[in-house]
Amino acid sequence: MHIVALRAFRDNYLWLVHDGRRALVVDPGAAAPVVAACESQGLQLAGILVTHHHRDHTDGIVPLLDRQRVPVWGPADEPIPGRTHAVRDGDRIQPPGMDVMFEVMHVPGHTLGHVAYAGADALFCGDTLFSAGCGRLFEGSPAQMLGSLERLAALPAHTKVHCAHEYTLSNLQFARRVEPENADMASYTTWCEQRRADDAPTLPGTIGQELLVNPFLRVHTDAVRQSLAMRAGRLPVDRVEAFAWLRGWKDQC
Ligand code: ZN
Ligand code: FE
């Protein structure tokens, strides 16, 4: 299975998953890049996967369906235009005619119904987990988001993480304020700067890499706890408080 990043808007990625013949698209906030990629690569659109209801992830669905009827998998508890299959935690998705299977994970936090799709050693996590960061809490609580991130972090280390936005360098700027001594963050920053200078995506990374450079997956570490304590005047009582403080700090930056 091949996975290709299609750009849209300022910093969105729509992910195209294809086998050379048939293609799925994840979070089509726009239709034009999907149509162009399918036409230029001779692919037939076979389905749409949606992680959450925000328009930069959904506005392309209806225009794509106007051209061709395909199944649309989306979270059961959110309004998703054109959805044909409402999915819940633990559901398995088998797109017709393609040799790939995805498991649905309910990952509330950014929105309450947000889902992620895991399969083929890849994760499509929408606006839940970003490289070196995480989504804003528009609907969920810190405890919900932390629980979601911890589930994603427990996936096999080689799992490739396909986030919906290119936020990596600005996330790293914050991450390095939190952990100035973290050498993995420093070398990852150098690598990401080179990728962006070449106009290439920093994504996908891996879960193993995120465990080293993503402060939101590191709220249990001494380094992050001590950094939070410097600001708050005391240590956080637990991981949820640490996560809430860290998310609040980032929101002010
Ligand atoms: Zn969003
Ligand atoms: Fe988004």
Side-chain angles (χ1 to χ4, degrees), residues 12 52 54 56-57 110 127 164-165:
N12 281 70
H52 68 294
H54 288 159
D56 62 313
H57 301 248
H110 178 68
D127 291 353
H165 292 271

Side-chain angles (χ1 to χ4, degrees), residues 203-253:
L203 307 176
T206 63
I207 290 290
Q209 167 82 354
E210 288 307 310
L211 292 172
L212 300 175
V213 301
N214 192 322
F216 294 95
L217 302 186
R218 298 171 54 78
V219 293
H220 59 284
T221 63
D222 280 341
V224 173
R225 287 171 51 76
Q226 291 297 342
S227 179
L228 290 167
M230 294 266 283
R231 277 172 60 85
R234 67 167 174 86
L235 283 167
V237 292
D238 58 15
R239 297 199 311 285
V240 173
E241 187 171 59
F243 177 81
W245 287 0
L246 192 63
R247 188 60 256 184
W249 182 5
K250 173 105 193 325
D251 288 342
Q252 289 163 22
C253 290

Side-chain angles (χ1 to χ4, degrees), residues 11-64:
D11 49 35
N12 281 70
Y13 291 126
L14 327 184
W15 294 102
L16 197 68
V17 182
H18 74 87
D19 59 11
R21 276 186 329 116
R22 294 164 74 80
L24 304 168
V25 65
V26 184
D27 283 353
V34 183
V35 172
C38 286
E39 279 178 357
S40 73
Q41 299 180 55
L43 301 168
Q44 191 198 354
L45 190 65
I48 298 171
L49 304 180
V50 181
T51 63
H52 68 294
H53 67 85
H54 288 159
R55 292 186 58 178
D56 62 313
H57 301 248
T58 57
D59 270 0
I61 299 173
V62 169
L64 286 171

Side-chain angles (χ1 to χ4, degrees), residues 121-134:
D121 289 335
L123 171 69
F124 299 92
C125 47
D127 291 353
T128 298
L129 175 62
F130 292 126
S131 186
C134 74

Side-chain angles (χ1 to χ4, degrees), residues 4 39 85:
V4 182
E39 279 178 357
H85 296 67

